[in-house]
Amino acid sequence: SGPWGEDVCGIDRATGKPKPMPLGHFFLAVDIEPLVGLDTFKKNAGGLLRALRESKKSPAGPGRIWTAGEPENDARVERTAQGGMKVSKSLQANMIKLRDARPGLKEKYEKLPFEK
């Protein structure tokens, strides 16, 4: 176990000033198929996530148990339904510049969604 909660909030609650966070990230990608078939893995992982979401909820809680990626996916679905995410003009210009400067990106992304 490591630091969590207030220890990684990034704010010194006594002063209100920013404080360093003793936090790191580690990402690992695993090719699951040598261990178990992909369909079996998806079924097992889906069952585990459904069981977590269906767990007994605290009466004082928000009424929903979220699993990894759900809030982000819900936000993506909502933004897409509203026509997509707003991108500032300066960021649009940077994205076009980056795309045009990198070999192969112009062919892959001929027209970005915000380009007329």
Side-chain angles (χ1 to χ4, degrees):
S1 174
W4 63 282
E6 287 294 317
D7 293 332
V8 294
C9 75
I11 301 291
D12 183 327
R13 297 293 187 197
T15 65
K17 294 181 180 179
K19 71 175 183 178
M21 292 183 286
L23 180 64
H25 292 81
F26 176 79
F27 297 92
L28 175 69
V30 175
D31 180 3
I32 200 71
E33 289 193 276
L35 304 172
V36 64
L38 186 58
D39 289 338
T40 300
F41 173 78
K42 286 181 176 182
K43 181 181 174 198
N44 291 344
L48 173 63
L49 294 172
R50 279 187 293 282
L52 284 171
R53 289 189 295 265
E54 292 167 4
S55 297
K56 184 176 179 181
K57 294 152 186 78
S58 167
R64 180 173 179 179
I65 296 174
W66 296 87
T67 55
E70 281 188 300
E72 296 83 359
N73 185 63
D74 287 356
R76 180 191 61 79
V77 168
E78 185 178 330
R79 277 189 222 108
T80 301
Q82 296 172 358
M85 196 166 110
K86 304 295 183 245
V87 180
S88 69
K89 296 290 183 190
S90 61
L91 182 54
Q92 289 178 22
N94 286 338
M95 291 171 71
I96 292 168
K97 191 175 182 180
L98 178 64
R99 177 207 52 202
D100 293 348
R102 299 282 187 246
L105 288 183
K106 182 70 172 171
E107 293 74 26
K108 187 173 181 179
Y109 304 104
E110 289 180 36
K111 189 174 181 184
L112 296 169
F114 48 78
E115 289 182 294
K116 301 289 183 219

